[in-house]
mmCIF file of all heavy atoms in Angstrom:
data_model
loop_
_atom_site.group_PDB
_atom_site.id
_atom_site.type_symbol
_atom_site.label_atom_id
_atom_site.label_comp_id
_atom_site.label_asym_id
_atom_site.label_seq_id
_atom_site.Cartn_x
_atom_site.Cartn_y
_atom_site.Cartn_z
ATOM 1 N N GLU A 200 -80.122 63.868 -116.002
ATOM 2 C CA GLU A 200 -80.124 63.226 -117.301
ATOM 3 C C GLU A 200 -80.104 64.300 -118.363
ATOM 4 O O GLU A 200 -80.841 65.289 -118.301
ATOM 5 C CB GLU A 200 -81.335 62.325 -117.469
ATOM 6 C CG GLU A 200 -81.282 61.407 -118.668
ATOM 7 C CD GLU A 200 -82.370 60.378 -118.666
ATOM 8 O OE1 GLU A 200 -83.561 60.784 -118.452
ATOM 9 O OE2 GLU A 200 -82.095 59.175 -118.847
ATOM 10 N N ASN A 201 -79.240 64.132 -119.360
ATOM 11 C CA ASN A 201 -79.161 65.000 -120.494
ATOM 12 C C ASN A 201 -79.007 64.156 -121.746
ATOM 13 O O ASN A 201 -78.020 63.441 -121.873
ATOM 14 C CB ASN A 201 -77.955 65.967 -120.376
ATOM 15 C CG ASN A 201 -77.927 67.040 -121.435
ATOM 16 O OD1 ASN A 201 -78.475 66.879 -122.538
ATOM 17 N ND2 ASN A 201 -77.289 68.178 -121.141
ATOM 18 N N ASP A 202 -79.998 64.226 -122.645
ATOM 19 C CA ASP A 202 -80.013 63.325 -123.827
ATOM 20 C C ASP A 202 -79.213 63.914 -124.984
ATOM 21 O O ASP A 202 -79.045 63.207 -126.010
ATOM 22 C CB ASP A 202 -81.423 63.112 -124.298
ATOM 23 C CG ASP A 202 -82.246 62.241 -123.327
ATOM 24 O OD1 ASP A 202 -81.589 61.379 -122.655
ATOM 25 O OD2 ASP A 202 -83.468 62.383 -123.262
ATOM 26 N N SER A 203 -78.651 65.091 -124.871
ATOM 27 C CA SER A 203 -77.938 65.708 -126.023
ATOM 28 C C SER A 203 -76.842 66.637 -125.555
ATOM 29 O O SER A 203 -76.836 67.844 -125.834
ATOM 30 C CB SER A 203 -78.938 66.483 -126.905
ATOM 31 O OG SER A 203 -79.610 67.458 -126.165
ATOM 32 N N LEU A 204 -75.927 66.085 -124.802
ATOM 33 C CA LEU A 204 -74.812 66.881 -124.260
ATOM 34 C C LEU A 204 -73.692 67.057 -125.265
ATOM 35 O O LEU A 204 -73.147 66.097 -125.787
ATOM 36 C CB LEU A 204 -74.275 66.218 -122.984
ATOM 37 C CG LEU A 204 -73.030 66.902 -122.371
ATOM 38 C CD1 LEU A 204 -73.388 68.300 -121.874
ATOM 39 C CD2 LEU A 204 -72.456 66.072 -121.232
ATOM 40 N N VAL A 205 -73.363 68.324 -125.558
ATOM 41 C CA VAL A 205 -72.232 68.650 -126.398
ATOM 42 C C VAL A 205 -71.413 69.741 -125.640
ATOM 43 O O VAL A 205 -71.964 70.834 -125.390
ATOM 44 C CB VAL A 205 -72.654 69.192 -127.758
ATOM 45 C CG1 VAL A 205 -71.421 69.555 -128.614
ATOM 46 C CG2 VAL A 205 -73.507 68.175 -128.518
ATOM 47 N N PRO A 206 -70.195 69.468 -125.278
ATOM 48 C CA PRO A 206 -69.393 70.463 -124.553
ATOM 49 C C PRO A 206 -69.218 71.740 -125.361
ATOM 50 O O PRO A 206 -69.084 71.713 -126.596
ATOM 51 C CB PRO A 206 -68.044 69.767 -124.338
ATOM 52 C CG PRO A 206 -68.383 68.297 -124.382
ATOM 53 C CD PRO A 206 -69.469 68.201 -125.420
ATOM 54 N N SER A 207 -69.219 72.862 -124.693
ATOM 55 C CA SER A 207 -69.036 74.191 -125.322
ATOM 56 C C SER A 207 -67.748 74.822 -124.788
ATOM 57 O O SER A 207 -67.402 74.686 -123.632
ATOM 58 C CB SER A 207 -70.247 75.082 -124.979
ATOM 59 O OG SER A 207 -69.983 76.433 -125.390
ATOM 60 N N SER A 208 -67.105 75.563 -125.691
ATOM 61 C CA SER A 208 -65.896 76.324 -125.312
ATOM 62 C C SER A 208 -66.202 77.705 -124.749
ATOM 63 O O SER A 208 -65.314 78.466 -124.393
ATOM 64 C CB SER A 208 -64.968 76.452 -126.519
ATOM 65 O OG SER A 208 -65.612 77.200 -127.550
ATOM 66 N N ASN A 209 -67.484 78.037 -124.646
ATOM 67 C CA ASN A 209 -67.882 79.354 -124.116
ATOM 68 C C ASN A 209 -67.577 79.430 -122.639
ATOM 69 O O ASN A 209 -67.770 78.495 -121.873
ATOM 70 C CB ASN A 209 -69.353 79.598 -124.366
ATOM 71 C CG ASN A 209 -69.697 79.729 -125.850
ATOM 72 O OD1 ASN A 209 -68.861 80.147 -126.636
ATOM 73 N ND2 ASN A 209 -70.947 79.368 -126.188
ATOM 74 N N ALA A 210 -67.181 80.619 -122.188
ATOM 75 C CA ALA A 210 -67.005 80.856 -120.791
ATOM 76 C C ALA A 210 -68.343 80.774 -120.070
ATOM 77 O O ALA A 210 -69.397 81.062 -120.646
ATOM 78 C CB ALA A 210 -66.368 82.218 -120.548
ATOM 79 N N ILE A 211 -68.298 80.351 -118.797
ATOM 80 C CA ILE A 211 -69.487 80.341 -117.963
ATOM 81 C C ILE A 211 -69.642 81.762 -117.395
ATOM 82 O O ILE A 211 -68.775 82.294 -116.721
ATOM 83 C CB ILE A 211 -69.356 79.339 -116.823
ATOM 84 C CG1 ILE A 211 -69.078 77.934 -117.384
ATOM 85 C CG2 ILE A 211 -70.596 79.361 -115.964
ATOM 86 C CD1 ILE A 211 -70.186 77.355 -118.210
ATOM 87 N N VAL A 212 -70.778 82.389 -117.682
ATOM 88 C CA VAL A 212 -71.039 83.748 -117.252
ATOM 89 C C VAL A 212 -72.133 83.744 -116.181
ATOM 90 O O VAL A 212 -73.229 83.293 -116.426
ATOM 91 C CB VAL A 212 -71.491 84.665 -118.418
ATOM 92 C CG1 VAL A 212 -71.731 86.082 -117.934
ATOM 93 C CG2 VAL A 212 -70.419 84.659 -119.541
ATOM 94 N N LEU A 213 -71.800 84.202 -114.987
ATOM 95 C CA LEU A 213 -72.701 84.184 -113.862
ATOM 96 C C LEU A 213 -73.039 85.650 -113.475
ATOM 97 O O LEU A 213 -72.152 86.462 -113.257
ATOM 98 C CB LEU A 213 -72.072 83.489 -112.654
ATOM 99 C CG LEU A 213 -71.558 82.048 -112.893
ATOM 100 C CD1 LEU A 213 -70.887 81.500 -111.648
ATOM 101 C CD2 LEU A 213 -72.718 81.149 -113.323
ATOM 102 N N LYS A 214 -74.347 85.892 -113.382
ATOM 103 C CA LYS A 214 -74.770 87.245 -113.012
ATOM 104 C C LYS A 214 -75.569 87.170 -111.708
ATOM 105 O O LYS A 214 -76.437 86.299 -111.555
ATOM 106 C CB LYS A 214 -75.657 87.824 -114.104
ATOM 107 C CG LYS A 214 -74.903 88.147 -115.412
ATOM 108 C CD LYS A 214 -75.784 88.834 -116.418
ATOM 109 C CE LYS A 214 -75.002 89.170 -117.696
ATOM 110 N NZ LYS A 214 -75.846 89.884 -118.682
ATOM 111 N N THR A 215 -75.225 88.040 -110.770
ATOM 112 C CA THR A 215 -75.949 88.131 -109.505
ATOM 113 C C THR A 215 -76.465 89.543 -109.298
ATOM 114 O O THR A 215 -75.831 90.515 -109.714
ATOM 115 C CB THR A 215 -75.051 87.711 -108.325
ATOM 116 O OG1 THR A 215 -73.887 88.555 -108.321
ATOM 117 C CG2 THR A 215 -74.582 86.257 -108.482
ATOM 118 N N ILE A 216 -77.618 89.615 -108.615
ATOM 119 C CA ILE A 216 -78.207 90.938 -108.335
ATOM 120 C C ILE A 216 -78.316 91.060 -106.834
ATOM 121 O O ILE A 216 -78.952 90.234 -106.166
ATOM 122 C CB ILE A 216 -79.598 91.073 -108.993
ATOM 123 C CG1 ILE A 216 -79.456 90.921 -110.511
ATOM 124 C CG2 ILE A 216 -80.238 92.432 -108.651
ATOM 125 C CD1 ILE A 216 -80.795 90.951 -111.256
ATOM 126 N N ALA A 217 -77.665 92.094 -106.280
ATOM 127 C CA ALA A 217 -77.720 92.316 -104.848
ATOM 128 C C ALA A 217 -79.042 92.888 -104.426
ATOM 129 O O ALA A 217 -79.880 93.242 -105.257
ATOM 130 C CB ALA A 217 -76.574 93.260 -104.456
ATOM 131 N N ALA A 218 -79.244 92.949 -103.106
ATOM 132 C CA ALA A 218 -80.521 93.456 -102.557
ATOM 133 C C ALA A 218 -80.809 94.884 -103.033
ATOM 134 O O ALA A 218 -81.976 95.290 -103.187
ATOM 135 C CB ALA A 218 -80.505 93.378 -101.057
ATOM 136 N N ASP A 219 -79.765 95.673 -103.274
ATOM 137 C CA ASP A 219 -79.963 97.056 -103.692
ATOM 138 C C ASP A 219 -80.104 97.183 -105.199
ATOM 139 O O ASP A 219 -80.150 98.286 -105.744
ATOM 140 C CB ASP A 219 -78.801 97.932 -103.203
ATOM 141 C CG ASP A 219 -77.430 97.496 -103.772
ATOM 142 O OD1 ASP A 219 -77.424 96.489 -104.511
ATOM 143 O OD2 ASP A 219 -76.435 98.157 -103.447
ATOM 144 N N GLY A 220 -80.161 96.018 -105.915
ATOM 145 C CA GLY A 220 -80.296 96.038 -107.360
ATOM 146 C C GLY A 220 -79.024 96.095 -108.153
ATOM 147 O O GLY A 220 -79.063 96.031 -109.394
#
Side-chain angles (χ1 to χ4, degrees):
E200 192 170 49
N201 187 335
D202 290 332
S203 57
L204 175 64
V205 179
S207 170
S208 61
N209 293 333
I211 304 296
V212 180
L213 306 177
K214 293 185 178 181
T215 57
I216 300 176
D219 62 358

